[in-house]
Amino acid sequence: ETLATNGTDWHAPFIVRATENIDGDNVESGHFTGGNHQYNNQGSGSTATARSVSLRFFVDGQEVVSQKGYANMIEIRWTNNVQGYNTKKADGTGREILQERHRLIFDGYEWKETIELEPLETVFMERWYGLQFVYSTNYPNYRYIGAADRTLHTNESSDCGGKDADGIVAYGDKHRVEMTIDSSVDLGKRTLSGSTGALCSNGKAYMFIIDYKQMNVGEVYRLCGGYKFMSN
């Protein structure tokens, strides 16, 4: 049974800018880079704002290139280098200022995620959600976990009522999704967040992890979390 088919970002893109040597073709604030976001933020017909550095697959602890069969655990590791909105270029050669490293493990029940962010130079992160999903299609009803607002919402915009939220649970007639973060690990403690820990807007659910903070070259930041997809 297919539980999720939404073709959008599940791992969040970035509103991030360089603090020095501004050399992009369009330095207007507020543009996302990385993820599904291309140079003009319009999808097809434009150049990418991130580059895949590596992609590796593991089955039951062994790295594979091509394999069919059953497994107890599947692991995917990938690394992307991301341009800033003020260093991106129309021809795709914009300067990469941030590296994101992902480790995604599926045990047949839950997708467990570890994301590491490492600035390649001093950057200013205006917004990073970390994890997100579309709730309006299969999952119109949702609640926040571990937040001030614990009420039921249905296809409406809201926020969790504070900076603390461990996740969002959403469901429909047939399907259910749980998106959570580990609030005991690094960025999950909301040390770089603003006043909002999670929100839902325009049919998408977002954790809110970094809000208007400087990140320095050589530093490493970690977020742990994951997804569960179930029949309701």
Side-chain angles (χ1 to χ4, degrees), residues 32-79:
F32 282 99
T33 57
N36 287 330
H37 292 262
Q38 298 183 331
Y39 174 79
N40 59 8
N41 269 349
Q42 300 300 316
S44 61
S46 186
T47 57
T49 55
R51 176 175 59 92
S52 179
V53 176
S54 67
L55 175 62
R56 304 170 69 189
F57 297 89
F58 298 81
V59 175
D60 291 334
Q62 299 296 316
E63 187 168 8
V64 299
V65 176
S66 177
Q67 183 171 320
K68 294 182 179 179
Y70 295 97
N72 293 314
M73 185 183 72
I74 298 172
E75 179 179 348
I76 309 170
R77 302 179 192 172
W78 71 96
T79 299

Side-chain angles (χ1 to χ4, degrees), residues 93-131:
T93 63
R95 190 168 83 250
E96 299 160 353
I97 64 172
L98 178 73
Q99 183 171 97
E100 55 173 333
R101 298 188 289 267
H102 295 258
R103 184 185 184 198
L104 185 62
I105 296 174
F106 182 57
D107 60 5
Y109 175 65
E110 181 178 8
W111 294 90
K112 299 177 181 179
E113 173 83 27
T114 299
I115 306 170
E116 289 187 343
L117 304 181
E118 182 173 354
L120 302 176
E121 60 186 73
T122 301
V123 305
F124 195 84
M125 184 74 72
E126 295 184 9
R127 184 178 308 167
W128 186 57
Y129 295 124
L131 301 179

Side-chain angles (χ1 to χ4, degrees), residues 182-201:
D182 188 338
S183 58
S184 70
V185 176
D186 200 8
L187 293 175
K189 299 177 182 178
R190 294 313 205 290
T191 54
L192 297 185
S193 71
S195 59
T196 300
L199 59 96
C200 291
S201 177

Side-chain angles (χ1 to χ4, degrees), residues 7-44:
T8 186
D9 292 305
W10 293 81
H11 303 99
F14 308 87
I15 301 181
V16 63
R17 60 178 168 85
T19 60
E20 299 178 346
N21 302 318
I22 310 307
D23 60 358
D25 289 341
N26 182 356
V27 299
E28 181 180 351
S29 176
H31 286 183
F32 282 99
T33 57
N36 287 330
H37 292 262
Q38 298 183 331
Y39 174 79
N40 59 8
N41 269 349
Q42 300 300 316
S44 61

